[in-house]
Amino acid sequence: MAMPDWTPSFTLNELYEISDAVMPMLRCYLEDGDPEQHEFQYGSVSTLLEIVRKLNISFAKSSGVRRGNELPDWFPQLEQQVRHFRERGLEMARHGAMAESYAWDYWKTKALAAGVAGDLAELGRAVMREHYQHGWLSCGNEVSPRSGGEMIQLALSEPDEAAFRWQWLLDTDGGKHVAQPDLNVWDI
């Protein structure tokens, strides 16, 4: 099938709307990581960066910018973040060729290498996995793939506190199922 010989044309407002949809998704990947390895398998982050590049060039042309570089000043920093993200993704994919195919498996290997006890490393792996798969928004990034370094530090410096907190998170599904005291209407 041949491509049409016309070029799609967007208004500046339409370009802003597209950008408003793409940038949060790109930021989400960069902040939260990519435990399901979408970058390695599909190039998701690289594709989003290319969309942002083309949108910004279109912004510049639509608004009449005539400078040597049509990309905004913040773009090189974003490009560097994506490059670093891609490198981490490839490193995780190399580890994924072994038994570790998810961020929580990779975290457990790093935790064990750092000296975290085996049972605590397994508990940390489990809580990180549940955080991701159950979408525990109530505990923020406390046990997300993004906070792996902090989790290892806590496990090394305060192993009992880490074990207690992580087990509580697992037992309550991230704090969603905390037993409430029975209140009798007549006791109020």
Side-chain angles (χ1 to χ4, degrees), residues 18 32 49 52 57 60 69 72 75 77 79-80 106 112 115 121 133 153 161-162 165:
I18 294 168
D32 296 337
L49 179 69
V52 170
I57 289 172
N69 182 6
F75 189 82
Q77 181 181 3
E79 200 169 31
Q80 179 64 31
Y106 181 64
L112 290 169
Q133 292 192 338
Q153 288 175 350
E161 181 181 324
R165 175 68 178 165

Side-chain angles (χ1 to χ4, degrees), residues 64-187:
V65 171
R66 300 283 182 248
R67 59 180 187 207
N69 182 6
E70 296 171 329
L71 295 170
D73 295 338
W74 51 261
F75 189 82
Q77 181 181 3
L78 180 63
E79 200 169 31
Q80 179 64 31
Q81 286 177 305
V82 169
R83 189 175 305 117
H84 181 67
F85 181 88
R86 192 177 310 129
E87 289 168 2
R88 279 194 331 246
L90 291 174
E91 178 185 347
M92 285 184 69
R94 278 193 295 277
H95 285 282
M98 299 183 294
E100 307 155 353
S101 56
Y102 294 103
W104 39 87
D105 296 322
Y106 181 64
W107 178 86
K108 179 182 173 187
T109 300
K110 284 180 65 173
L112 290 169
V116 174
D119 57 340
L120 189 55
E122 182 58 38
L123 184 60
R125 178 204 169 279
V127 77
M128 183 182 285
R129 177 183 177 273
E130 294 303 303
H131 175 277
Y132 178 78
Q133 292 192 338
H134 291 213
W136 291 349
L137 300 177
S138 61
C139 57
N141 287 319
E142 175 186 351
V143 290
S144 74
R146 181 175 165 196
S147 58
E150 291 88 358
M151 288 176 64
I152 290 174
Q153 288 175 350
L154 179 63
L156 290 172
S157 64
E158 300 179 51
D160 292 338
E161 181 181 324
F164 179 80
R165 175 68 178 165
W166 296 346
Q167 190 60 57
W168 181 85
L169 287 169
L170 285 173
D171 292 345
T172 62
D173 195 17
K176 293 178 189 173
H177 304 292
V178 178
Q180 299 295 321
D182 288 332
L183 293 177
N184 188 329
V185 178
W186 303 110
D187 292 339

